[in-house]
Amino acid sequence: MEAFLHGMILAFGLILPLGVQNVFVFSQGATQQRLILALPAAITAALCDTLLILLAVFGLSVIVLQFEWLRLVLMGVRIVFLLYMGYSIWHSDTTTSQKSETLPVKKQVLFALSVSLLNPHAILDTIGVIGTSALKYNGTEQVLFTAACVFISWLWFFGLTLAGASFKKLDGSGKLMNFFNKCSAIFIWATAIYLLTGLR
């Protein structure tokens, strides 16, 4: 259960900040005439995240678990990275919003693929944070950790779409997104402290 909870908190902290991927998924919910028409963007983004999570967790763990010193180094780098990320997110300021035009299914899928798989920050987050965090667990616990990360990813993107469909417009002042970023920074800092206490 600790692994599942850890995965949920970590994934939520990483996925929460404002980014191109989140703005796109949210804006599709806000601009499409019906909720179902915005689902291709959410599903594509969630599938891309799932792929990155699976590759990071099971690919990295097979290599790194063979070298204890490498695991410790990666854990240390990850903690520093999380502290810096939390600082950057906390001090970020989103004062404008971007609206996307209504897109057909094909363009939604292509754009979601590009902002998900060609996003260096998403790849670094997945491999550098989620992938190395999974090194703490083995067997069933690692599966639970991975499942929690995937679950939060799918829940988040569908939630963004639903939120966009409900409000029907993006937050023009940027205050809501700033609040999301503050929450994300707190989650990330808490995760870094948790990892630091378990580093041995």
Side-chain angles (χ1 to χ4, degrees), residues 164-178:
S166 299
F167 294 118
K168 287 298 178 187
K169 63 180 180 179
L170 294 173
D171 179 34
S173 65
K175 292 181 179 179
L176 181 59
M177 293 302 178
N178 274 328

Side-chain angles (χ1 to χ4, degrees), residues 128-176:
V129 180
I130 292 179
T132 54
S133 293
L135 299 176
K136 179 180 179 180
Y137 305 106
N138 292 305
T140 303
E141 286 189 333
Q142 191 176 75
V143 172
L144 287 174
F145 174 84
T146 306
C149 293
V150 171
F151 171 74
I152 289 299
S153 178
W154 282 81
L155 183 66
W156 175 253
F157 288 122
F158 278 103
L160 276 179
T161 305
L162 185 60
S166 299
F167 294 118
K168 287 298 178 187
K169 63 180 180 179
L170 294 173
D171 179 34
S173 65
K175 292 181 179 179
L176 181 59

